[in-house]
């Protein structure tokens, strides 16, 4: 077990109350679920990197063969991925390798379900995977009711009537708003006409 895995194991033990209070089989399964990678970059803790981390090496000059240290960072993109269990898009930072893995799995939910715990590099990934598994288990335990075709037709007809009523209400509201604007425009035109007539009368009186 790597140093990082040991530290995560100690944190889990502190949270649950110690080794002596839990069966040895359970603690052994916890050890097997922890990731065994030695180093994880800080940015990987805030996204899904699928094993891609910063790499170090040498940059060799063409003329003298001089070596200077350099690093290669993973290609990280911020994407909106749709989650079916949450029924919404999730904004997350992922690497291009992780995107290919997610596409191959069939979505972010399937990727988290198929990836074992010891392959999840970060605590955030482990928590996400646990939440997704819990939500799917609760969904599997729900009772699903089916309606006969006649009842489904009645329900669909009711939805159609509601949609038609909404369209009619919006149409009437637009008509009322248009009529009100026309009335306001007519009143303003009458005021302008009366002002012009008064001005003409004053001009004619002054000329006389």
């Amino acid at each position: 077990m790597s140093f990082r895995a040991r530290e995560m194991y100690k944190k889990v033990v502190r949270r649950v109350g110690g080794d002596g209070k839990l069966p040895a089989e359970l603690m052994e399964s916890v050890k097997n679920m922890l990731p065994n990678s030695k180093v994880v970059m800080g940015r990987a803790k805030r996204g899904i990197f699928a094993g891609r981390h910063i790499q170090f090496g040498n940059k060799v000059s063409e003329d003298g063969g001089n070596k200077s240290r350099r690093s290669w960072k993973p290609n990280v993109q911020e994407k909106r991925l749709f989650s079916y269990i949450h029924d919404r898009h999730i904004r997350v930072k992922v690497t291009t390798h992780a995107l290919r893995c997610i596409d191959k799995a069939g979505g972010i939910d399937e990727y988290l379900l198929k990836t074992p715990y010891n392959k999840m590099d970060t605590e955030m990934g482990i928590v996400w995977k646990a939440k997704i598994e819990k939500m799917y288990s609760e969904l599997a335990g729900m009772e699903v009711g089916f309606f006969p075709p006649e009842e489904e037709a009645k329900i669909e007809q009711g939805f159609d009537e509601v949609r038609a009523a909404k369209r009619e209400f919006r149409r009437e509201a637009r008509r009322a708003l248009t009529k009100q604007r026309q009335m306001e425009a007519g009143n303003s035109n009458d005021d302008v006409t009366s002002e012009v007539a008064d001005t003409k009368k004053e001009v004619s009186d002054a000329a006389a």
Side-chain angles (χ1 to χ4, degrees):
M1 183 183 291
S2 63
F3 172 78
R4 177 169 167 268
R6 287 198 303 270
E7 292 298 319
M8 293 178 65
Y9 176 76
K10 291 178 182 178
K11 186 183 296 185
V12 172
V13 169
R14 285 197 301 269
R15 288 184 179 180
V16 299
D19 274 322
K21 297 183 180 180
L22 293 175
E25 295 81 4
L26 179 59
M27 300 311 297
E28 189 65 26
S29 63
V30 171
K31 288 182 180 180
N32 296 331
M33 288 192 304
L34 294 176
N36 200 26
S37 56
K38 295 182 179 180
V39 179
V40 174
M41 59 186 299
R43 293 176 64 192
K45 298 178 181 179
R46 300 184 294 272
I48 300 176
F49 279 37
R52 293 296 187 265
H53 303 295
I54 189 169
Q55 297 179 357
F56 301 94
N58 295 323
K59 180 174 64 176
V60 184
S61 62
E62 295 181 359
D63 298 333
N66 300 320
K67 297 181 180 180
S68 58
R69 298 294 292 175
R70 61 155 296 179
S71 61
W72 290 268
K73 295 182 180 180
N75 186 4
V76 182
Q77 305 290 331
E78 187 173 1
K79 296 292 183 180
R80 293 173 65 248
L81 304 176
F82 186 77
S83 173
Y84 289 98
I85 190 64
H86 291 94
D87 196 19
R88 63 182 180 88
H89 285 86
I90 299 176
R91 188 178 296 275
V92 62
K93 292 183 178 180
V94 294
T95 60
T96 52
H97 174 69
L99 277 179
R100 290 193 295 270
C101 295
I102 292 171
D103 291 339
K104 184 177 180 180
I108 183 66
D109 297 343
E110 287 76 9
Y111 171 76
L112 292 174
L113 290 174
K114 293 178 181 178
T115 306
Y117 278 98
N118 56 0
K119 294 292 182 68
M120 303 300 296
D121 296 327
T122 61
E123 296 180 15
M124 188 187 74
I126 295 175
V127 171
W128 280 15
K129 179 176 173 62
K131 287 183 178 180
I132 292 291
E133 287 183 348
K134 181 181 178 181
M135 295 179 72
Y136 269 102
S137 62
E138 292 176 354
L139 184 63
M142 294 175 61
E143 295 183 359
V144 181
F146 295 95
F147 296 96
E150 297 80 7
E151 293 292 333
E152 290 184 359
K154 291 181 181 179
I155 294 172
E156 186 65 27
Q157 184 180 359
F159 281 123
D160 293 338
E161 292 176 357
V162 170
R163 286 192 289 266
K166 287 183 178 180
R167 286 196 296 268
E168 186 65 25
F169 176 77
R170 289 195 294 267
R171 192 178 297 112
E172 292 294 334
R174 286 195 295 267
R175 289 176 182 174
L177 183 60
T178 304
K179 187 175 181 180
Q180 182 180 359
R181 289 177 179 175
Q182 290 177 354
M183 292 177 61
E184 292 177 355
N187 293 334
S188 61
N189 291 334
D190 294 340
D191 295 339
V192 172
T193 304
S194 60
E195 290 178 0
V196 171
D198 294 339
T199 305
K200 288 183 178 180
K201 186 176 180 180
E202 290 178 359
V203 170
S204 61
D205 294 340

